Amino acid sequence: MTVFNALVIPKICNAVLRSYQNSWPRDLVSLYVCSPLDFHAQTMNWDCGYRNMQSMISSYLNHDSTVRDQLFSSGILTIPTLKDLQNRIENAWLKGYDQIGGMQLEYSLYDTNKWIGATEVVSMLRSCKVRACVADFDFTAGQCDLNTMVQIVWEYFESRCELRKKNKPDDQCIDSSFVAPLYLQHQGHSRLILGVEKWADGNIKLLILDPQMRRAIQFHQRTGDEANILRQGIGTHGLNSKSKYQIAYLAEKSLYQTESDFSKIIVDELRHPRLRFI
């Protein structure tokens, strides 16, 4: 298997914030953005999940001392390579994490071009004693819709940013504390949610970072309006064209001290309060 080196754009969220500071939209009421991360671009048609994991881990290592120390104790001192991630996911399966997902992928990832999803991300992090969770959004079942998902994402960023930010007179979330990005999975592709906007008409838009190389280069070359290519709302084609999503996220209490059988079973925490780590 040939693996190409990814284009890495450091601290990409800083560029997003600069674009708002240079030109704050008149009708934009609130903005919440995750902590800076180093963006790793997709290099092959199957490695989006791995590149998003690398971007997420860069944020943990650089900005969350609690999770960083736990990752250090698990042997993750720098950003893992793609093959390192494959090996760690396989080891998580061997430890009993997400047996259903392991069976679906035949317990084999290393040196293959198999796609991974949100549950593999969560399995690997939980095997490092990091409390990662999954939320399922199935619009075909009638239990929720895209509006519900967008509102939950808004509440995630709002609560995390409001909890951690310094007292500031405005609504902008710019702080030195840690707010993790969200891993957004749909059939065939994954992206990262960097933050959310709320506009004067009540419309909420997600700031989504796509790991595809073409979009990464476009982002890297643009100046002044970087955030524009990330903004997606309920009416945006691409976001509203999918009927199922999974979101992987860090629980607010991001570590657990002892393993439990529940922690090895990957379920939708939004619908299983007893297992919920938020």
Side-chain angles (χ1 to χ4, degrees), residues 180-224:
L182 299 178
Y183 180 104
L184 179 67
Q185 178 75 46
H186 60 77
Q187 181 65 36
H189 195 44
S190 64
R191 297 173 288 175
L192 294 180
I193 304 177
L194 302 186
V196 290
E197 301 172 332
K198 180 171 282 188
W199 292 77
D201 60 1
N203 191 21
I204 296 173
K205 294 185 179 180
L206 309 183
L207 302 181
I208 299 178
L209 188 58
D210 195 310
Q212 289 181 348
M213 178 67 78
R214 176 178 57 82
R215 293 184 182 275
I217 293 174
Q218 180 187 28
F219 185 100
H220 192 49
Q221 292 175 344
R222 295 180 70 161
T223 59

Side-chain angles (χ1 to χ4, degrees), residues 76-235:
I76 299 178
L77 306 180
T78 59
I79 305 301
T81 66
L82 188 151
K83 290 189 176 183
D84 287 340
L85 291 174
Q86 290 179 325
N87 188 52
R88 286 185 173 275
I89 294 170
E90 287 185 355
N91 287 338
W93 291 332
L94 291 175
K95 294 177 181 178
Y97 292 90
D98 191 26
Q99 291 299 289
I100 295 176
M103 285 189 293
Q104 291 174 342
L105 293 172
E106 300 176 329
Y107 297 101
S108 175
L109 276 181
Y110 188 79
D111 210 23
T112 73
N113 58 357
K114 294 179 182 179
W115 297 45
I116 62 168
T119 56
E120 284 72 45
V121 173
V122 169
S123 298
M124 194 279 284
L125 291 173
R126 286 191 185 181
S127 71
C128 297
K129 295 187 177 181
V130 176
R131 284 194 175 188
C133 308
V134 165
D136 287 322
F137 299 91
D138 184 352
F139 308 149
T140 64
Q143 296 179 340
C144 67
D145 56 17
L146 183 58
N147 285 284
T148 304
M149 187 186 83
V150 169
Q151 184 62 40
I152 288 174
V153 171
W154 165 264
E155 291 171 358
Y156 166 87
F157 280 104
E158 181 186 38
S159 62
R160 300 296 175 95
C161 289
E162 289 293 341
L163 182 65
R164 290 166 169 80
K165 75 177 181 179
K166 299 175 181 178
N167 293 326
K168 290 182 178 290
D170 54 22
D171 291 329
Q172 197 168 346
C173 178
I174 306 174
D175 72 356
S176 57
S177 300
F178 182 69
V179 177
L182 299 178
Y183 180 104
L184 179 67
Q185 178 75 46
H186 60 77
Q187 181 65 36
H189 195 44
S190 64
R191 297 173 288 175
L192 294 180
I193 304 177
L194 302 186
V196 290
E197 301 172 332
K198 180 171 282 188
W199 292 77
D201 60 1
N203 191 21
I204 296 173
K205 294 185 179 180
L206 309 183
L207 302 181
I208 299 178
L209 188 58
D210 195 310
Q212 289 181 348
M213 178 67 78
R214 176 178 57 82
R215 293 184 182 275
I217 293 174
Q218 180 187 28
F219 185 100
H220 192 49
Q221 292 175 344
R222 295 180 70 161
T223 59
D225 61 347
E226 290 92 339
N228 289 344
I229 67 170
L230 303 171
R231 185 180 291 123
Q232 292 196 359
I234 294 172

